[in-house]
Amino acid sequence: MVQGRKGERVRLYVRGTILGYKRSKSNQYPNTSMVQIEGVNTKEEVAWYAGKRLAYIYKAKVKKNGTHYRCIWGKVTRPHGNSGVVRTKFKSNLPPRSMGARVRVFMYPSNI
Amino acid sequence: MAAKQRTKRVTRNPDLIRGIGKYSKSQMYHKRGIWALKAKNGGAFPHHDPKPKPEAPAVKAPKFYPADDVKKPLLNKHKPRPTKLRASITPGTVLILLAGRFKGKRVVFLKQLPSGLLLVTGPYKINGVPLRRVNQSYVIGTSTKVDVSAVNVDKFDDKYFSKEAQKKKKKGEGEFFEAEKEEKNALPQEKKDDQKTVDSSLITAIEGVPELKAYLGARFSLKSGMKPHELLF
């Protein structure tokens, strides 16, 4: 995220939204989050994204490693339902304040 | 088995179903010609006495037996080999780098190194990417190909890219530290020359194709409305 250089900003990730934890009506399972990837609307389209890495990026007040930005890495595990929503697992569970927040879905590990 | 070149044993008994052959034991006896071998040998199947074995030195009973049976680790005959190259990646393919300092750059693939990593070059003059190693998973193979037959990449392997061993200089840190820093920063002239030789033949091949030079100079980026799962690279 350190973009001190004036180079062009290339977007090599797909935007996604964190919808919340995997859950039933009254129980939630925070180790798995659900993500809606932009432009993906069916279960079949999700197959391309399986295994791709995700990053949830957020800001904090204290500088760590020289930057205010922090990141939680994760990956797409499987489709959720028929409409392109995706289940994901992160290195550490996502915080509840991430619901509705932006997530970056990268195009690697690539298989094309 | 390695010493003699033996032809593979072919059975003359075709399978009707797995486990059941077409011919009976006596029919096979006749087919294999055991009767002819016996006739040649005067009635009995040829028998050779076992060669006298050289006497093995007398083994003394060991002084110590372990209390419990010690298990031997399982034999592992697995040989390391470089990762399988995707069919879309052949020498001369233009690749898109997905991560790292040069993300988004379009780059020419040269060859796969024995470690499995891909050897890649910008060329340097066109997009600033030097001879570099890249992992296959962090790369998209496009359908654009460049002619690399003129380039000789035999001299590059993983050792070429390894970092120089750090000389141990713990004493007198003050002055030595500065001197070491200067050495590290300069790229050895040899590597610059290697880059030039590889790139010169590549650049002539690239300039032969209309618009390829500008294509390699430009970076790839996802724009609004682009869906990678629907794109054809």
Side-chain angles (χ1 to χ4, degrees), chain A residues 84-98:
Chain A
V85 177
V86 130
R87 291 194 202 177
T88 59
K89 279 196 136 204
F90 282 80
K91 191 110 183 273
S92 59
N93 296 349
L94 288 179
R97 72 181 173 113
S98 66

Side-chain angles (χ1 to χ4, degrees), chain A residues 28-48:
Chain A
Q28 68 179 14
Y29 305 95
N31 51 20
T32 309
S33 293
M34 298 195 297
V35 162
Q36 168 80 274
I37 305 178
E38 223 179 71
V40 179
N41 294 314
T42 58
K43 200 165 58 168
E44 288 73 28
E45 291 174 9
V46 170
W48 190 92

Side-chain angles (χ1 to χ4, degrees), chain A residues 11-12 45 49 108 110 112, chain B residues 86 137 139 221-223 229:
Chain A
R11 178 164 71 88
L12 285 165
E45 291 174 9
Y49 292 89
Y108 53 82
S110 154
I112 314 175
Chain B
R86 272 181 250 151
S137 295
V139 134
S221 174
L222 283 176
K223 301 282 180 190
H229 63 272

Side-chain angles (χ1 to χ4, degrees), chain B:
Chain B
M1 244 190 88
K4 291 188 196 171
Q5 285 288 341
R6 281 197 175 171
T7 53
K8 266 197 164 178
R9 296 251 180 105
V10 189
T11 54
R12 296 166 210 264
N13 193 359
D15 276 347
L16 292 175
I17 287 176
R18 192 183 102 112
I20 300 180
K22 186 170 172 189
Y23 298 107
S24 70
K25 185 167 178 177
S26 48
Q27 287 173 319
M28 281 311 296
Y29 173 90
H30 178 78
K31 265 173 132 19
R32 286 167 63 202
I34 310 284
W35 51 272
L37 283 177
K38 282 189 178 176
K40 222 164 132 185
N41 201 35
F45 195 76
H47 169 79
H48 297 282
D49 286 316
K51 289 185 205 156
K53 277 191 197 167
E55 236 197 65
V59 182
K60 283 198 279 182
K63 271 192 248 176
F64 172 73
Y65 289 98
D68 302 308
D69 278 332
V70 182
K71 275 198 175 171
K72 273 203 215 153
L74 289 172
L75 196 58
N76 184 7
K77 287 194 178 165
H78 184 249
K79 287 192 192 129
R81 56 169 66 184
T83 25
K84 188 164 175 220
L85 248 195
R86 272 181 250 151
S88 60
I89 302 180
T90 58
T93 314
V94 173
L95 306 173
I96 300 178
L97 299 179
L98 291 174
R101 187 167 162 210
F102 299 105
K103 55 175 158 285
K105 296 263 190 198
R106 297 179 170 104
V107 125
V108 178
F109 168 64
L110 296 174
K111 77 169 186 179
Q112 184 180 34
L113 299 170
S115 66
L117 299 172
L118 312 179
L119 175 64
V120 128
T121 181
Y124 187 70
K125 279 233 150 178
I126 298 184
N127 52 20
V129 181
L131 280 164
R132 205 166 202 264
R133 294 186 297 175
V134 138
N135 189 313
Q136 209 191 151
S137 295
Y138 293 84
V139 134
I140 291 183
T142 62
S143 53
T144 315
K145 314 267 181 213
V146 173
D147 183 17
V148 280
S149 46
V151 184
N152 184 1
V153 278
D154 291 337
K155 69 176 285 203
F156 302 114
D157 66 345
D158 294 293
K159 265 193 286 184
Y160 179 88
F161 293 99
S162 64
K163 295 199 178 136
E164 280 188 31
Q166 287 271 350
K167 290 179 225 162
K168 286 186 186 172
K169 276 193 181 163
K170 286 194 178 167
K171 302 180 191 170
E173 270 189 27
E175 290 167 284
F176 280 131
F177 196 45
E178 285 174 30
E180 253 193 82
K181 248 192 177 172
E182 283 179 37
E183 270 185 59
K184 271 188 226 168
N185 287 341
L187 236 199
Q189 184 61 29
E190 193 196 315
K191 294 209 172 176
K192 292 189 192 171
D193 293 336
D194 288 335
Q195 182 75 53
K196 281 200 193 139
T197 32
V198 170
D199 284 357
S200 51
S201 33
L202 257 185
I203 291 181
T204 39
I206 289 170
E207 288 180 344
V209 182
E211 297 178 359
L212 187 56
K213 193 166 177 200
Y215 176 69
L216 289 176
R219 274 178 126 154
F220 172 79
S221 174
L222 283 176
K223 301 282 180 190
S224 178
M226 278 171 110
K227 305 181 194 175
H229 63 272
E230 286 176 2
L231 288 180
L232 260 182
F233 283 98

Side-chain angles (χ1 to χ4, degrees), chain A residues 51-111:
Chain A
K52 298 285 185 282
R53 309 208 76 210
L54 300 160
Y56 166 62
I57 296 169
Y58 59 103
K59 289 190 260 200
K61 183 158 175 233
V62 177
K63 264 200 177 187
K64 266 205 175 166
N65 285 334
T67 175
H68 284 290
Y69 289 95
R70 298 190 198 171
C71 171
I72 306 182
W73 285 96
K75 47 169 91 158
V76 172
T77 52
R78 50 176 285 192
H80 180 85
N82 294 325
S83 304
V85 177
V86 130
R87 291 194 202 177
T88 59
K89 279 196 136 204
F90 282 80
K91 191 110 183 273
S92 59
N93 296 349
L94 288 179
R97 72 181 173 113
S98 66
M99 295 188 191
R102 174 72 70 228
V103 100
R104 296 189 186 187
V105 186
F106 293 102
M107 301 205 283
Y108 53 82
S110 154
N111 198 21

